[in-house]
Amino acid sequence: MKLAGEGPSSVSCFVKKEEEEDFTFEDPCIRKEATSGQQLPRVLRSPLAKSLRNELNMNWDLIEVLSSLIGVERWVCVNIVTLLQEENTVPFMVRYRKDMINHMDADAVRDVQLVYEELCTLAKKTQSVIQTLKKDGNLTAELEQTLRSCRSADELDHVYTPYKKGSKLTKARRAKALGLEDAASALLETPNVLDLNKWVKPGTEGLSTTEEVALGVEHILADMIAKDPDTLTYVKTLCETSHITIQSTVSKSALKEKEQEKTDIDKFSLYFDFTSNIQRIQPHQVDMESLKILTVKVNIPDRVRTDFTTWCINSRWRTKTFAREELRVMIKNAVEDSYKRLILPFLTRSYRSKLTTAAEKESIAMFVRNLRQRLLACPVRGCVIMGVDPGFRHGCKVAILSSTSHILHTDVFYLHSSKHQEADKLRHLLVKYGCTKIVIGNGTACRETESFFSELICRRFFNPLDVSYCITNEAGASIYSVSPEAVKEMPDMDPNLRSAVSIGRRVQDPMAELVKIDPKHIGIGTYQHDVSAGALKAALDGVVQECVSFVGVDINICSETLMRHVAGLNAGRARNIAEWRVQNGPFINREQLKLVKGMGPKSFQQCAGFVRINPQTLERYFIMKCFQKCQNLSFNIAVPEKATTKKGKGKSAVVVPTSVNPLDQTCIHPESYHVAQRFLSRVGGSADQIGTAKLSQCMDNTVKNSSVEELASTMDTSPETLKLIIDGLTQPPGFDIRQNFGQADFKRGVVSMSDLQVGAVLTGRVDNTALFGAFVDIGVGRSGLIHKSKITLDKLPPSQRRRSLVLGPGERVEVRVLNVDRQRGRIGLDLIRVLQ
């Protein structure tokens, strides 16, 4: 079907001068399929690792450190770092560069990206510290090498802290200022000729006696020991094989406030005298000290100190020649002083920092998983929906939405005062618009509003309509209702009514509505105030981009807000695309995106595979235009008759066809269209048959006769690309990956918490997850908790057993009631199974 207007659409074309460079995709990075145990791939000898080391100017190899920290093979790290340096987005890498990243998922790639950025930040901070020390005149060649050997921010701070401006002069620096550094070197190198009396200066503080000289030398040596990389590595190895514990006790200030009845601390009684192996401490137990109710300390056993002292004296810090007894005592004193005063505090800080970092990462991972489940909830399409924002004093705000989310009617009902009169008005409204689905927000008055509708439904009050309702999370709806985005979208509407619209649309198309709200306000996860705001925002923005990109957007009807989150696009490019649609009509094919202002080659490469050109949308548009023409209304064909040009700086022109390409409705990337066409010819099909049973049968027969690997080899492509092409050709038009995820549960009756009995088996939907378990909505107004100890592998489907967070929002589960605490409003549940 040709939708380009009058005349042969295959002949006319758009032309645009690209300001940046030609629209050609660069050669991909080295692709290597490797697994552990194979010979190191050739990619490791690429110049990237060497260039990165020179660029960072550190004493360690970035790729090697990155690989060891995250447990990913070096060749994969090389490819990921290269792709990141080329400004590739995570969704693009995960979908279209699978073979280069060893089939890692988006979360794993983001972990590599995060650690890579942390190491780059460490290198920059190290360089800044070196420049500061150099400016202050405190930099020595030995200190610079020590700084460049640091592999973590903790190590860097440990070395740099004594030299910070305003910090108290350390014992070692005072001794060095007295000129005792040569004496310390002599103690290790030539103790047989060392005479401490040569440094004695009567009347000079710190040098007046041999005892003071010896003490100064010990302080210098202790400082050297504490900053030596090999020594720190050894003591960390000792700790790894030792029973390190973390202990908490109630703080004195908390006890004092309890006596004054200012604070209720009894809910923390479990941790008043708590001890746990540091390897077994749970992430949600780490951040409690910030409340100043508990005092926490790390206990390192004495065996570490004993073994460390012996190793230092007999190995690492052993004198090169014979040393007298008093000199050996000095070395022993220096080692013990170094451990107690410098190394032990460093180890304690390091452990606490690691625990905090690990807890933060777990919290963010939980946020990411919960948000992904919310965004990928299956839309409820094809029906009129009533969104209800419940309330008492100000009434229940109601919005009737069409099957395409257009606002049909808004109103306010006072359901909890004049019930009979309002019920009649509601029935009239539902019958008028043919609405059978009601979505109630879970805020104030939710339970009372649910009871009101449930009673009417049981009485068949809405006959002949078969009305049902569901409860949805309304977190963030109020914030959105007064945001500039909502004002722009619904300028003349009361903010309270905007909330009702948002609540209804969250069920009609969860992703399209939730992307309008800051992820941290969507009501997912816990402890969000205890984690880094920047890290949380970056992770949540990343998962929004991932979900929007993988689902794909119909570029001709999606909102500007949704477009912003497509990989390769941003607010500016999304605005330019929306303006292009207004001026020129719908996009006929993906290639026309190149005509949009600000759309360079890299942006097009990143977004093209996630943008869809839906033929049905185009057909509706041109039918409408034809109708307008028949009615003698203004008729403006979207495709200009002339080729469009834009002046560039000596760059070649870009030729953009105006014909419809059926492949533009699939997940196949334009860079693989030539492979897809060859494959279609091989199986005896055509692009017009995409999604049909006939084409699927042809492809199945071809793959059975010849494996995917063999076919990929003959077509000069990778098996991963060919598999993606097969998926794209198999999926029917309008395919949505969210159809495999859970949809909102609509019901007609209500159950109260008083009806629950221990041992009862119920079905519910996971509402939220925390690090200690999952909260499940079982339809009684209170979510029950499945403790993490009840979520065992044998109760999970095989596909979920490898996930770190095995349950997420939206998943349907079968549970058994373990206990009901009606006074505190708590329900304990046991997981029976996950419903598919």
Side-chain angles (χ1 to χ4, degrees):
M1 179 179 62
K2 295 180 181 179
L3 302 176
E6 299 179 11
S9 61
S10 59
V11 176
S12 61
C13 65
F14 291 128
V15 178
K16 172 188 172 185
K17 289 270 189 168
E18 177 57 33
E19 295 179 346
E20 300 174 23
E21 57 181 294
D22 296 343
F23 272 89
T24 55
F25 297 109
E26 71 275 5
D27 293 333
C29 307
I30 298 175
R31 304 188 181 205
K32 186 76 177 179
E33 294 184 17
T35 56
S36 301
Q38 288 185 337
Q39 186 178 1
L40 291 177
R42 186 171 53 189
V43 70
L44 296 183
R45 293 194 289 274
S46 72
L48 176 65
K50 187 175 181 180
S51 65
L52 284 173
R53 184 164 185 168
N54 294 334
E55 180 182 333
L56 298 180
N57 200 12
M58 299 294 282
N59 290 343
W60 36 261
D61 184 298
L62 183 140
I63 299 298
E64 181 181 346
V65 175
L66 185 63
S67 176
S68 63
L69 287 175
I70 57 180
V72 175
E73 294 171 287
R74 286 193 57 174
W75 70 271
V76 180
C77 291
V78 169
N79 281 344
I80 291 177
V81 170
T82 303
L83 289 167
L84 291 173
Q85 289 186 334
E86 293 172 354
E87 300 180 355
N88 290 284
T89 60
V90 172
F92 177 81
M93 293 160 58
V94 171
R95 174 168 285 182
Y96 299 112
R97 298 292 184 263
K98 287 183 180 180
D99 50 339
M100 291 162 53
I101 62 174
N102 206 19
H103 299 264
M104 293 169 65
D105 60 23
D107 290 336
V109 174
R110 273 193 292 269
D111 287 341
V112 177
Q113 181 183 18
L114 180 62
V115 176
Y116 167 63
E117 291 172 351
E118 288 175 352
L119 291 174
C120 291
T121 301
L122 174 64
K124 292 179 181 178
K125 185 177 180 181
T126 301
Q127 191 61 35
S128 176
V129 167
I130 289 173
Q131 293 299 325
T132 301
L133 292 173
K134 188 176 181 180
K135 183 178 179 181
D136 296 339
N138 295 325
L139 185 66
T140 64
E142 182 183 2
L143 178 59
E144 181 176 356
Q145 292 304 310
T146 302
L147 289 167
R148 295 194 187 280
S149 298
C150 294
R151 298 192 176 198
S152 68
D154 288 336
E155 289 185 22
L156 182 63
D157 289 338
H158 175 64
V159 176
Y160 175 53
T161 298
Y163 300 94
K164 289 182 178 178
K165 287 184 178 179
S167 62
K168 186 178 178 182
L169 201 63
T170 63
K171 294 179 178 181
R173 290 181 65 187
R174 285 199 294 268
K176 288 179 181 179
L178 293 172
L180 294 177
E181 195 167 5
D182 291 340
S185 298
L187 177 60
L188 297 174
E189 301 291 336
T190 57
N192 56 321
V193 296
L194 176 62
D195 184 5
L196 297 180
N197 292 318
K198 292 181 180 180
W199 276 270
V200 175
K201 294 182 181 178
T204 301
E205 185 179 357
L207 299 176
S208 57
T209 64
T210 54
E211 287 77 12
E212 290 185 353
V213 171
L215 186 60
V217 172
E218 290 174 7
H219 289 159
I220 293 174
L221 185 56
D223 185 70
M224 293 169 61
I225 294 170
K227 293 176 181 176
D228 177 58
D230 292 338
T231 301
L232 292 177
T233 300
Y234 180 78
V235 74
K236 288 177 182 177
T237 303
L238 284 177
C239 290
E240 289 174 1
T241 58
S242 301
H243 185 69
I244 312 296
T245 60
I246 188 166
Q247 180 181 2
S248 67
T249 55
V250 62
S251 66
K252 294 180 180 179
S253 59
L255 289 174
K256 186 175 180 181
E257 290 184 2
K258 182 182 179 181
E259 292 174 359
Q260 299 173 355
E261 297 183 354
K262 292 183 178 180
T263 307
D264 180 18
I265 64 173
D266 291 338
K267 58 184 178 181
F268 296 99
S269 58
L270 180 64
Y271 300 98
F272 285 174
D273 187 16
F274 175 81
T275 302
S276 171
N277 188 314
I278 209 161
Q279 303 291 339
R280 298 180 181 177
I281 192 75
Q282 299 300 312
H284 67 273
Q285 297 174 322
V286 171
D287 292 323
M288 293 187 178
E289 192 181 15
S290 60
L291 301 174
K292 297 183 179 180
I293 294 175
L294 302 174
T295 300
V296 180
K297 68 176 182 178
V298 176
N299 296 321
I300 299 177
D302 292 337
R303 185 183 70 83
V304 174
R305 175 182 57 81
T306 304
D307 292 350
F308 172 76
T309 303
T310 303
W311 177 80
C312 286
I313 294 173
N314 296 332
S315 181
R316 177 62 180 162
W317 299 96
R318 182 178 180 179
T319 58
K320 293 188 177 181
T321 61
F322 175 77
R324 301 186 302 276
E325 179 62 26
E326 63 270 20
L327 298 181
R328 291 200 297 270
V329 171
M330 285 176 60
I331 294 176
K332 181 181 180 182
N333 292 340
V335 171
E336 292 177 346
D337 177 51
S338 179
Y339 179 83
K340 181 180 179 181
R341 183 168 55 87
L342 301 173
I343 293 178
L344 187 59
F346 165 72
L347 291 173
T348 300
R349 290 193 304 271
S350 180
Y351 271 114
R352 298 189 63 167
S353 175
K354 287 179 180 178
L355 287 174
T356 301
T357 301
E360 182 174 286
K361 286 184 177 180
E362 283 293 324
S363 294
I364 291 176
M366 179 193 62
F367 270 93
V368 165
R369 168 143 172 78
N370 289 353
L371 178 59
R372 183 184 288 114
Q373 292 289 125
R374 286 277 172 86
L375 292 175
L376 294 179
C378 184
V380 176
R381 292 193 172 120
C383 60
V384 179
I385 279 183
M386 173 187 283
V388 181
D389 183 5
F392 289 117
R393 184 187 304 178
H394 301 292
C396 294
K397 282 67 68 178
V398 169
I400 304 288
L401 305 175
S402 72
S403 58
T404 55
S405 295
H406 289 100
I407 303 170
L408 301 177
H409 182 84
T410 58
D411 209 336
V412 179
F413 290 83
Y414 296 89
L415 306 180
H416 310 296
S417 54
S418 52
K419 291 188 177 181
H420 296 294
Q421 182 180 353
E422 299 294 81
D424 290 335
K425 289 170 61 178
L426 270 174
R427 178 170 58 185
H428 172 74
L429 203 59
L430 293 176
V431 172
K432 178 181 178 180
Y433 293 103
C435 178
T436 59
K437 304 290 184 185
I438 300 172
V439 181
I440 305 171
N442 66 344
T444 304
C446 167
R447 193 63 183 162
E448 290 76 10
T449 304
E450 180 187 14
S451 299
F452 175 83
F453 279 104
S454 175
E455 181 184 349
L456 294 179
I457 292 172
C458 290
R459 288 166 41 198
R460 302 183 182 277
F461 184 77
F462 299 115
N463 277 357
L465 297 178
D466 183 16
V467 177
S468 58
Y469 70 90
C470 74
I471 309 295
T472 193
N473 192 315
E474 68 171 36
S478 298
I479 295 175
Y480 165 72
S481 67
V482 294
S483 67
E485 192 73 41
V487 173
K488 180 181 178 181
E489 185 179 2
M490 298 171 275
D492 301 323
M493 188 175 293
D494 182 89
N496 294 316
L497 295 174
R498 291 180 193 144
S499 295
V501 174
S502 177
I503 288 170
R505 286 176 174 172
R506 288 183 183 203
V507 172
Q508 282 189 318
D509 193 340
M511 187 175 71
E513 189 63 25
L514 292 177
V515 295
K516 303 174 184 177
I517 303 167
D518 190 331
K520 67 183 179 183
H521 296 311
I522 296 180
I524 52 172
T526 53
Y527 312 116
Q528 71 180 57
H529 301 294
D530 296 326
V531 302
S532 166
L536 178 60
K537 185 179 187 306
L540 296 184
D541 288 347
V543 78
V544 170
Q545 184 189 66
E546 170 201 333
C547 292
V548 173
S549 299
F550 287 170
V551 171
V553 297
D554 185 340
I555 197 66
N556 287 319
I557 60 174
C558 74
S559 67
E560 182 182 323
T561 305
L562 190 62
M563 272 192 285
R564 294 174 190 168
H565 299 284
V566 176
L569 300 184
N570 54 26
R573 296 187 190 109
R575 182 173 59 254
N576 293 339
I577 291 173
E579 291 174 355
W580 198 95
R581 287 189 315 205
V582 172
Q583 295 170 6
N584 302 284
F587 289 89
I588 306 300
N589 53 51
R590 284 171 171 169
E591 292 293 310
Q592 287 184 335
L593 284 169
K594 299 175 181 179
L595 300 173
V596 176
K597 180 182 177 182
M599 185 68 71
K602 178 56 69 173
S603 300
F604 178 79
Q605 180 198 38
Q606 298 301 302
C607 76
F610 306 117
V611 166
R612 305 283 192 274
I613 307 294
N614 192 332
Q616 295 176 343
T617 304
L618 290 176
E619 189 173 357
R620 285 195 298 267
Y621 173 82
F622 283 99
I623 288 175
M624 181 188 70
K625 285 297 184 181
C626 290
F627 177 78
Q628 290 177 353
K629 186 176 181 180
C630 293
Q631 298 296 322
N632 294 321
L633 300 175
S634 60
F635 181 60
N636 181 27
I637 287 292
V639 181
E641 296 180 2
K642 292 183 179 181
T644 304
T645 61
K646 185 175 181 180
K647 290 184 179 180
K649 299 179 181 179
K651 302 296 181 182
S652 59
V654 177
V655 179
V656 179
T658 59
S659 57
V660 174
N661 189 337
L663 293 175
D664 288 340
Q665 63 184 305
T666 70
C667 60
I668 303 171
H669 197 281
E671 67 182 6
S672 302
Y673 279 3
H674 65 288
V675 180
Q677 293 291 359
R678 294 209 314 269
F679 180 70
L680 284 169
S681 300
R682 174 73 179 264
V683 302
S686 66
D688 294 331
Q689 298 175 316
I690 289 175
T692 63
K694 181 179 179 181
L695 181 60
S696 297
Q697 185 63 43
C698 292
M699 290 189 293
D700 289 342
N701 293 336
T702 303
V703 172
K704 285 179 182 178
N705 296 330
S706 224
S707 67
V708 173
E709 289 73 17
E710 293 176 357
L711 289 170
S713 178
T714 60
M715 295 183 182
D716 194 25
T717 189
S718 66
E720 290 78 9
T721 299
L722 186 56
K723 288 176 183 176
L724 185 66
I725 289 172
I726 294 173
D727 288 341
L729 296 176
T730 304
Q731 294 164 356
F735 174 79
D736 193 332
I737 63 170
R738 292 175 293 175
Q739 67 190 32
N740 297 322
F741 291 80
Q743 196 178 59
D745 287 325
F746 285 87
K747 53 188 177 181
R748 294 173 176 80
V750 61
V751 180
S752 67
M753 191 170 175
S754 59
D755 298 328
L756 287 180
Q757 298 293 329
V758 173
V761 176
L762 306 167
T763 60
R765 192 173 294 277
V766 177
D767 182 55
N768 199 3
T769 60
L771 297 173
F772 47 81
F775 292 96
V776 179
D777 180 6
I778 53 176
V780 298
R782 286 276 187 175
S783 292
L785 174 66
I786 307 177
H787 191 268
K788 61 183 297 184
S789 62
K790 303 296 182 182
I791 307 174
T792 55
L793 293 179
D794 59 301
K795 301 175 183 178
L796 300 172
S799 60
Q800 293 180 232
R801 293 178 182 176
R802 293 186 178 182
R803 298 199 316 217
S804 58
L805 297 166
V806 291
L807 292 178
E811 292 188 279
R812 295 185 66 244
V813 292
E814 187 176 42
V815 296
R816 179 181 290 105
V817 179
L818 294 179
N819 53 73
V820 181
D821 187 340
R822 294 179 175 83
Q823 184 176 358
R824 301 171 70 184
R826 294 184 177 181
I827 305 168
L829 302 174
D830 181 22
L831 176 65
I832 297 177
R833 63 191 176 103
V834 178
L835 302 175
Q836 298 296 305

